[in-house]
Amino acid sequence: MREFGPTIFAEMTALAVRTGAINLGQGFPDEDGPAAMLDVATQAILSGRNQYAPGIGVPELRQAVSEHAKETQGLSYDPDTEILVTVGATEAIAAAVLALVEPGDEVIVFEPYYDSYPAAIALAGGTRRAVPLRPVDGRFTFDPADLRATPKTRAIIVNSPHNPTGTVFTPAELETIAAFCRDHDLIAITDEVYEHLTFDGVPHVSLATLPGMRERTVRISSAGKSFSVTGWKTGWICSTPELVTAVTAVKQFLTFTSAVPWQLAVAHALRHELGWVARLRDTLQAKRDRLSAGLAGAGFEVLKTAGTYFVQTDIRPLGLTDGLELTRRLPELAGVVAIPTQVFYDHAETGRHYVRFAFCKRDEVIDEAVDRLTSRRLG
């Protein structure tokens, strides 16, 4: 773990706190989720549901996850043998990689990648190979020729909707990935935490729905983003009995289980609050447009965001080329915190000129941030 210091999110959030800057860096909303869901958690605490849950998760949540997968993706999972509740998607990813990757195995990731992926691969003794996502017509995509396997390639991590670029893989892109997995007998670990937060009518399609993929996909999601409870850290894995058993063998020695009240509340939310999520999605789409227009007005080139909480920008029109340098100075220059995308690359030079902004904030917060960025000379 020597190459891994404090995460960029910890660094930039601390910078926001220290300087009083507006935090458009870390992706957490500043408004709570549905009130009825919060009430379920409160009542669970008050009624004594405060002891250990079963290691695989409470039956209520596993059943709700099973129903949700069937309703939203047409995927059938047995709640007793094919679903595992985790402490957020981050633990699910780490446990899956630790369970399924042996020392020396290669794991493919798309760069820019979420920063927990390389750390999990390193902990497992694996090696990572990054396939670059590059802008084409304003959205990030990959060149199928870059998907190459070796005898040591074991798995691929697929994040769609994708953080930090905001891209949502198209059916054609997903089929390319699926064919690659089938041809080389690879396990796909899919990070689908933004599954409900896609915009402009763009659908989320799970890789597990494609032919031959359910049996080789470890499908991961969580409640944090969909229901605006990122601090609850409640996630889950859906896969085959064999793969879930392998991941459970690791997970039981990481956290053993997660908090019962949050699990019960999330079970309620998956069954009863998807209408709230649909309204959240519409609200976030408007916030995306609001921030994108403001950033363009401030001189950034704004790339297309089809999902997630984030807008990706190119800083070169400002006469700048180093996103890390800019974001470390931005609180002083403009009183705003953002995230430099280059830290999510193996080939850092490829992403050196990109900066990510989060739009999961109140409109007045977005407007104030835009005013600050527009009124200061950044270049």
Side-chain angles (χ1 to χ4, degrees):
M1 296 295 289
R2 287 186 178 87
E3 69 172 290
F4 301 99
T7 73
I8 193 67
F9 304 109
E11 177 185 346
M12 291 302 170
T13 296
L15 188 58
V17 171
R18 187 167 65 251
T19 62
I22 294 174
N23 190 352
L24 299 187
Q26 193 169 6
F28 59 86
D30 52 12
E31 296 180 281
D32 279 335
M37 178 191 70
L38 304 180
D39 287 342
V40 171
T42 300
Q43 289 307 311
I45 293 169
L46 295 176
S47 64
R49 298 294 299 271
N50 300 305
Q51 307 310 320
Y52 289 128
I56 61 173
V58 299
E60 295 94 328
L61 180 52
R62 288 184 280 114
Q63 183 63 46
V65 168
S66 176
E67 294 166 3
H68 178 260
K70 183 68 174 178
E71 177 184 352
T72 61
Q73 295 292 322
L75 291 165
S76 296
Y77 293 101
D78 185 327
D80 293 325
T81 62
E82 297 187 312
I83 293 172
L84 170 67
V85 177
T86 61
V87 182
T90 304
E91 186 196 32
I93 292 160
V97 172
L98 287 167
L100 304 173
V101 175
E102 298 293 335
D105 284 349
E106 180 183 77
V107 181
I108 294 172
V109 296
F110 291 96
E111 66 172 359
Y113 41 66
Y114 186 63
D115 64 350
S116 82
Y117 303 165
I121 294 166
L123 284 168
T127 60
R128 70 180 181 270
R129 181 155 59 81
V131 171
L133 297 174
R134 299 185 180 92
V136 176
D137 296 328
R139 70 176 289 271
F140 284 83
T141 186
F142 62 92
D143 184 341
D146 289 333
L147 282 177
R148 297 185 303 276
T150 74
K152 291 188 175 182
T153 308
R154 170 67 169 160
I156 182 170
I157 299 178
V158 180
N159 175 209
S160 179
H162 184 267
N163 174 18
T165 68
T167 201
V168 176
F169 287 145
T170 65
E173 290 166 339
L174 290 172
E175 178 50 42
T176 297
I177 297 168
F180 177 68
C181 292
R182 293 190 300 261
D183 290 347
H184 299 282
D185 193 24
L186 304 183
I187 293 171
I189 300 170
T190 63
D191 179 350
E192 304 178 36
V193 298
Y194 291 99
E195 61 181 307
H196 290 292
L197 304 183
T198 61
F199 311 125
D200 305 315
V202 174
H204 168 66
V205 178
S206 175
L207 188 66
T209 64
L210 275 66
M213 291 306 296
R214 186 197 181 283
E215 60 267 29
R216 63 174 67 252
T217 299
V218 178
R219 185 169 181 257
I220 294 169
S221 193
S222 75
K225 303 303 191 296
S226 294
F227 299 105
S228 296
V229 283
T230 59
W232 284 12
K233 297 300 292 178
T234 303
W236 50 85
I237 286 171
C238 300
S239 193
T240 66
E242 296 78 12
L243 292 174
V244 167
T245 297
V247 178
T248 302
V250 172
K251 183 264 190 297
Q252 66 186 339
F253 296 114
L254 297 177
T255 59
F256 178 61
T257 191
S258 58
V260 173
W262 316 147
Q263 293 190 53
L264 296 173
V266 172
H268 163 87
L270 289 173
R271 288 192 171 114
H272 303 293
E273 302 293 352
L274 293 187
W276 184 94
V277 174
R279 294 188 292 276
L280 172 66
R281 180 176 62 244
D282 292 343
T283 299
L284 286 171
Q285 180 173 314
K287 292 177 184 294
R288 175 205 62 178
D289 295 343
R290 191 184 201 100
L291 180 59
S292 295
L295 291 171
F300 295 85
E301 179 186 346
V302 181
L303 290 98
K304 296 176 183 176
T305 291
T308 75
Y309 282 166
F310 308 111
V311 168
Q312 194 68 231
T313 66
D314 189 329
I315 64 174
R316 288 176 294 185
L318 295 167
L320 303 170
T321 59
D322 191 330
L324 182 59
E325 179 185 356
L326 173 63
T327 54
R328 283 177 169 161
R329 294 176 57 232
L330 202 55
E332 175 188 346
L333 289 172
V336 175
V337 165
I339 296 292
T341 310
Q342 69 201 76
V343 300
F344 306 128
Y345 283 82
D346 282 1
H347 311 96
E349 194 61 30
T350 305
R352 190 165 178 256
H353 49 278
Y354 296 124
V355 170
R356 191 196 80 174
F357 293 86
F359 54 82
C360 51
K361 309 295 179 181
R362 296 189 307 275
D363 287 349
E364 58 268 29
V365 174
I366 293 173
D367 291 345
E368 175 61 24
V370 166
D371 286 346
R372 294 182 183 189
L373 291 167
T374 303
S375 62
R376 271 66 162 193
R377 186 176 185 276
L378 304 180

